Amino acid sequence: MRNLRSGLWAAAGLALLTLVTSACGVKAPILVVDGLRVGDMGITGVALDVRFRVRNPNPEPLNIDRFEYELFVNGNRMGRGFESSGLQLAGFGEGKVQSRFDVNFLSLPGVVKDVLRQDRVKARVKGHFYTSGPYGNKRLGFDADAYVNLHDR
């Protein structure tokens, strides 16, 4: 009886170790800015449509419930944004997401307004994904740079 209990505890411990190891092995999705489009410009601000490309570096499917981010253009912080619509990525799959980002000119220096008039800029995005799946709920960070055209449709 004692050997049976020891064997059950060993099996339970091995199962728990396997579960913890696989959960820790979830890699953060790779997110880059794929495009920025300057939208309507008013006296106090401008709307930016930010296109993102997201890639799953894991062999297992990944559910991105939402993500939040900070956007920098040519080193200038533009502000914070979020995307609340979910995205499901197949193992090693890729998807695209578009997010509306409102920039308030009153809180930005004049140099940023000039940056928005350029054709090509360096965009940096950093933030967190909130994911769910068989590994549980995870908060995974990202930070990526890309050169993008501002006026592409």
Side-chain angles (χ1 to χ4, degrees):
M1 184 70 163
R2 186 172 175 96
N3 284 341
L4 180 59
R5 250 194 262 167
S6 296
L8 287 175
W9 278 110
L14 184 60
L16 181 62
L17 180 64
T18 302
L19 181 64
V20 168
T21 303
S22 66
C24 292
V26 176
K27 296 177 188 169
I30 300 162
L31 179 129
V32 293
V33 176
D34 192 39
L36 289 173
R37 187 179 64 80
V38 177
D40 301 327
M41 198 175 285
I43 295 172
T44 61
V46 64
L48 290 178
D49 290 321
V50 186
R51 281 190 326 252
F52 296 106
R53 203 171 13 137
V54 187
R55 191 171 68 222
N56 180 3
N58 301 290
E60 301 84 19
L62 186 67
N63 295 323
I64 299 173
D65 299 325
R66 69 185 194 284
F67 64 92
E68 56 189 31
Y69 60 92
E70 282 185 277
L71 180 66
F72 300 83
V73 175
N74 286 355
N76 298 291
R77 185 180 184 276
M78 305 300 283
R80 298 182 64 85
F82 68 93
E83 183 55 43
S84 60
S85 60
L87 177 66
Q88 293 183 345
L89 296 173
F92 300 118
E94 188 172 299
K96 291 191 178 193
V97 167
Q98 185 163 318
S99 177
R100 186 75 165 195
F101 190 90
D102 294 315
V103 178
N104 183 347
F105 284 155
L106 300 175
S107 64
L108 295 174
V111 69
V112 174
K113 294 177 212 172
D114 293 335
V115 166
L116 293 176
R117 291 186 183 101
Q118 296 178 11
D119 290 332
R120 188 164 172 84
V121 296
K122 181 179 181 182
R124 178 178 179 215
V125 63
K126 68 178 188 172
H128 293 94
F129 289 109
Y130 295 87
T131 66
S132 61
Y135 49 81
N137 297 331
K138 293 254 182 229
R139 180 178 179 231
L140 304 169
F142 59 85
D143 189 346
D145 295 324
Y147 286 94
V148 295
N149 293 325
L150 269 183
H151 304 287
D152 282 349
R153 289 265 172 204

